Amino acid sequence: MKDNLIYNLGASILTFLLTVFITFWMTPLIINNLGTEAYGFIPLTQQIISILSVLTFALSSVIARFLTISISQGNIRKAEEYFNTYLVSTLFGAILIIIIVMVVINKINRVLNVPDYLLIDVKLAIFFGGTLVIITFVNSLFLAGPFAMNKLYITKGIEAINAITKAIAILLLLTIFSPKIWYINLGAMVAGAVSLITSFYFFKKLIPTVSVNFKRFNFSNLRELLSAGIWNSIGQIGVILFLSVEIILANIIFGASKAGVYGAMLQLPLLLRTVANITSSVFAPVIINNYASKNINSLINYCNKSVKLNGLLIALPAALICGFAGVILNIWLGPEFVTHKWLLILNSAYLIVTLSPLPLNHIFTAVNKLMLPGLVTIMLGVINLLLAILLSIYTNLGLYGIVLAGAISLIGKNVIFIPIYSSVVTNQPLWKYFVGMIYPIIGAFFITIVSFILQSYFQIISWWDLVLSGTIITIGYILFSFFLLFNKDEKSYLLNIYRAARKRN
C-alpha cells in the first residue's frame, strides 16, 4: 500500500483552514443575531447529542480496521460480510436513537436551565442533531473505503465539502429567515446528507467488489465487531465526560448567560481538538497496515514520527491562540470578551502537550487491545467530572475550576497513560514514546515568544494585521522546526515523500 501521507496531511490542513474560517465567521454572526445566552445552547445541544455517539461508536470505530485487514489480505468475501453486517445494524441503531431523542426532547427543560423563549428552539436543535447522528453512523461505513485504500485525502475532501455545505446552509438560513439556534444543527444535517451521498459514490468507486447484499449479514461477524469495539464505546463515555460535561456543567452551575460566554471561549480549543483528531487519523492506515503485515519495527518507527509530527502541527495554532488571545477576542467577538482571555489561553495551552500522543491510539486499535484504554478513559472522565464540580462550586475558581479539572484529567490520560501503554503493547521501554512529545513544547515556546515580540513593536488591530503576524510566525516556525527540531532521518523522510508526491503529479 502506498504511503499517501503527504496527500492525506495536505487535505487535513485544507480541511483545518476551512473549519477555522467557518468558526471565526459563524460565531460572531450567531452571537450578534441571537445573543450570548442563546448562543450557549448551540455547543450545549451539540454536546448533548454527542452523547448518543456512544451507541454507534462500538461499530463505527472498528469497521474501517476490519475492512482494511480483510482487503489487504485479499479476502473480499469477508470484507463484504463485515460491510453488510454493519449496514443492517445501522437500521436497528437508528430506531434506538430516534426513541432516545424523543425522550430527551420531552425532558430537556427539567435538566437544564432553558429560558422559556428558547425551549422550542432547543428541542428542534436536539431533533436535527439526533438525525445527524444517524446519518453519521451510516456514513462511517462508506468512509471506511478511502481509509482501507489509504486515500484519506478523499475523506478530507469529503470533510471539506461538508464544511462548505454546512457554512452555506447556515448562512442562507440566518440571512433569509428570522435567526434560530436550530439552524446550526439543520445546516449540519443537510451537510451530513451531502457527505453521505459523496462517501457512497467513492466507496463504490474504490471498492466495487463489495456491494449491498443483506444475505451477507452474519451474527458472528456482528459479535466480532462489537467485541472489538465495545471498549472503544466505553472509552467514548470517558471522552464525553472530558468534552461534553464542561458546557453542561457551566449551564447547570452558573446559568445560561455564563454558559454562553464559556461556550464562545471553548470554540477555538474545540477546534484544536477536532484538528488533532483529523491530523492523527492521517497516520492510522499505515499504522494498521504495518501491524497487519507483521512489520513491528516499521510500526514503532512510524508511531514515533507520527507523535512528533502531530504535536508540531498542533503546537502552531495552539500557541498562536495563546500568544494572541486578547487580540483575537477583541477583533473576533468584541472588546467585551477580552476580559475572558485567560479562559481561552488556559483551555488552549494544555492541549499543546495533551494532543501530541493521539496517533498512538491507533496502536490499540491495530493490536486490538482496547479494554484497558477504555477503562482508563472512563475512569479519568469520571475524575474530570467530579473535579470540575468540586473546583467550580467549593472554590473561588468559578469557570476556571472546570478548565483546571479538564487539564489535570487529560494530562493523566494522554500524556501519561497512552505513551506508557503503547510501550507495553509494542514491547518497548516505557519511555519510548515520550521523546516526541518534547518537541511541540519547544515549538510552542518559540511561537509564543515571537508573538509577544511582534505585539511589543506593532499594534495589531485588524484581521489583516493578525493574519500577517500569523503568517510571519508560521514561516519562521516551519524553518525553526525543520532545521532545529527534525533529525537527519526525519528530514530525509519528509523530503522523500514530498518528492514522491511531486512525481505523481
Side-chain angles (χ1 to χ4, degrees):
M1 182 174 289
K2 297 179 180 179
D3 185 352
N4 288 308
L5 176 63
I6 192 69
Y7 288 132
N8 297 342
L9 198 53
S12 294
I13 292 172
L14 175 61
T15 304
F16 161 67
L17 294 175
L18 284 167
T19 308
V20 167
F21 169 76
I22 292 167
T23 299
F24 271 94
W25 160 74
M26 191 171 63
T27 302
L29 178 67
I30 295 169
I31 289 177
N32 291 334
N33 280 279
L34 303 178
T36 304
E37 183 178 68
Y39 172 80
F41 285 97
I42 294 173
L44 192 149
T45 54
Q46 290 171 342
Q47 296 303 330
I48 291 173
I49 289 301
S50 71
I51 297 173
L52 292 174
S53 66
V54 174
L55 301 175
T56 66
F57 205 66
L59 292 176
S60 64
S61 63
V62 297
I63 183 61
R65 171 186 182 269
F66 282 88
L67 278 178
T68 300
I69 292 176
S70 297
I71 291 171
S72 67
Q73 294 175 346
N75 194 343
I76 302 301
R77 171 64 181 263
K78 192 67 175 178
E80 195 168 59
E81 289 179 359
Y82 286 131
F83 175 88
N84 285 283
T85 298
Y86 184 100
L87 191 59
V88 172
S89 301
T90 61
L91 301 177
F92 294 97
I95 295 172
L96 179 60
I97 290 170
I98 291 171
I99 294 172
I100 294 174
V101 167
M102 292 299 103
V103 173
V104 171
I105 288 174
N106 187 49
K107 303 291 184 181
I108 190 65
N109 58 319
R110 300 181 185 181
V111 179
L112 300 175
N113 294 312
V114 184
D116 291 338
Y117 77 97
L118 287 173
L119 185 58
I120 298 299
D121 288 354
V122 170
K123 290 183 176 182
L124 285 171
I126 293 173
F127 171 77
F128 289 122
T131 305
L132 177 61
V133 170
I134 296 173
I135 293 173
T136 304
F137 187 23
V138 179
N139 198 31
S140 296
L141 174 61
F142 299 117
L143 287 175
F147 184 99
M149 305 308 293
N150 193 20
K151 295 182 181 293
L152 286 192
Y153 56 88
I154 293 177
T155 303
K156 304 311 173 187
I158 294 171
E159 290 173 357
I161 292 172
N162 182 290
I164 294 170
T165 305
K166 178 180 175 181
I168 293 173
I170 293 171
L171 176 62
L172 292 175
L173 288 168
L174 286 175
T175 54
I176 295 175
F177 305 103
S178 176
K180 302 288 182 182
I181 63 172
W182 52 269
Y183 290 169
I184 312 305
N185 284 358
L186 175 59
M189 186 191 76
V190 171
V194 172
S195 295
L196 175 60
I197 295 170
T198 309
S199 301
F200 176 77
Y201 168 78
F202 278 106
F203 186 95
K204 296 303 296 179
K205 189 176 181 66
L206 292 171
I207 316 178
T209 53
V210 175
S211 59
V212 176
N213 184 353
F214 289 157
K215 293 181 180 180
R216 298 290 191 204
F217 173 83
N218 189 303
F219 276 107
S220 63
N221 289 334
L222 178 59
R223 285 195 298 270
E224 186 179 9
L225 290 171
L226 288 173
S227 63
I230 189 63
W231 294 109
N232 278 341
S233 198
I234 290 173
Q236 185 68 4
I237 297 174
V239 170
I240 287 171
L241 290 172
F242 276 111
L243 301 181
S244 301
V245 299
E246 295 182 340
I247 187 68
I248 295 174
L249 283 178
N251 176 277
I252 294 173
I253 297 172
F254 301 107
S257 182
K258 283 193 174 182
V261 171
Y262 192 72
M265 294 303 101
L266 274 181
Q267 289 310 295
L268 296 184
L270 286 175
L271 180 60
L272 290 175
R273 294 172 188 257
T274 300
V275 171
N277 287 325
I278 291 172
T279 56
S280 64
S281 69
V282 166
F283 306 103
V286 178
I287 290 174
I288 291 176
N289 275 284
N290 276 332
Y291 177 76
S293 303
K294 307 301 180 183
N295 197 343
I296 302 302
N297 288 332
S298 293
L299 172 68
I300 295 167
N301 292 332
Y302 191 83
C303 286
N304 280 323
K305 291 177 183 176
S306 67
V307 169
K308 184 175 180 179
L309 183 56
N310 188 64
L312 289 171
L313 287 170
I314 297 302
L316 175 60
L320 284 174
I321 291 171
C322 293
F324 291 104
V327 173
I328 290 172
L329 291 176
N330 182 53
I331 299 172
W332 180 35
L333 300 178
E336 65 273 19
F337 283 89
V338 174
T339 56
H340 304 293
K341 71 176 183 179
W342 283 104
L343 277 175
L344 178 59
I345 292 171
L346 295 176
N347 262 313
S348 303
Y350 74 86
L351 297 180
I352 293 169
V353 64
T354 57
L355 297 181
S356 300
L358 289 185
L360 298 178
N361 280 316
H362 300 297
I363 294 179
F364 309 147
T365 302
V367 302
N368 201 17
K369 298 285 187 180
L370 300 171
M371 181 177 72
L372 188 57
L375 289 175
V376 170
T377 300
I378 195 169
M379 179 188 71
L380 288 172
V382 171
I383 290 173
N384 176 50
L385 174 62
L386 296 177
L387 271 178
I389 294 173
L390 291 173
L391 293 175
S392 58
I393 295 178
Y394 298 104
T395 70
N396 296 323
L397 292 172
L399 291 172
Y400 291 97
I402 298 176
V403 180
L404 183 59
I408 293 171
S409 304
L410 200 60
I411 287 172
K413 173 181 173 288
N414 288 5
V415 181
I416 298 174
F417 171 75
I418 288 180
I420 290 177
Y421 192 58
S422 297
S423 299
V424 171
V425 298
T426 54
N427 297 313
Q428 296 298 303
L430 296 182
W431 51 265
K432 185 70 175 181
Y433 297 103
F434 284 97
V435 177
M437 295 164 56
I438 298 172
Y439 298 94
I441 300 174
I442 299 172
F445 272 115
F446 171 82
I447 294 169
T448 306
I449 291 170
V450 175
S451 68
F452 288 156
I453 293 173
L454 277 177
Q455 290 176 83
S456 67
Y457 285 98
F458 303 100
Q459 189 177 13
I460 302 173
I461 58 175
S462 68
W463 281 117
W464 290 114
D465 295 337
L466 188 59
V467 170
L468 178 60
S469 300
T471 302
I472 292 171
I473 293 175
T474 299
I475 294 172
Y477 177 69
I478 291 172
L479 297 173
F480 174 81
S481 299
F482 186 81
F483 290 106
L484 297 179
L485 299 184
F486 286 116
N487 60 38
K488 184 178 179 179
D489 291 339
E490 289 165 344
K491 290 176 185 176
S492 299
Y493 173 76
L494 291 174
L495 289 173
N496 285 338
I497 60 176
Y498 173 72
R499 289 166 185 152
R502 290 193 63 183
K503 287 181 180 179
R504 293 177 197 175
N505 292 330

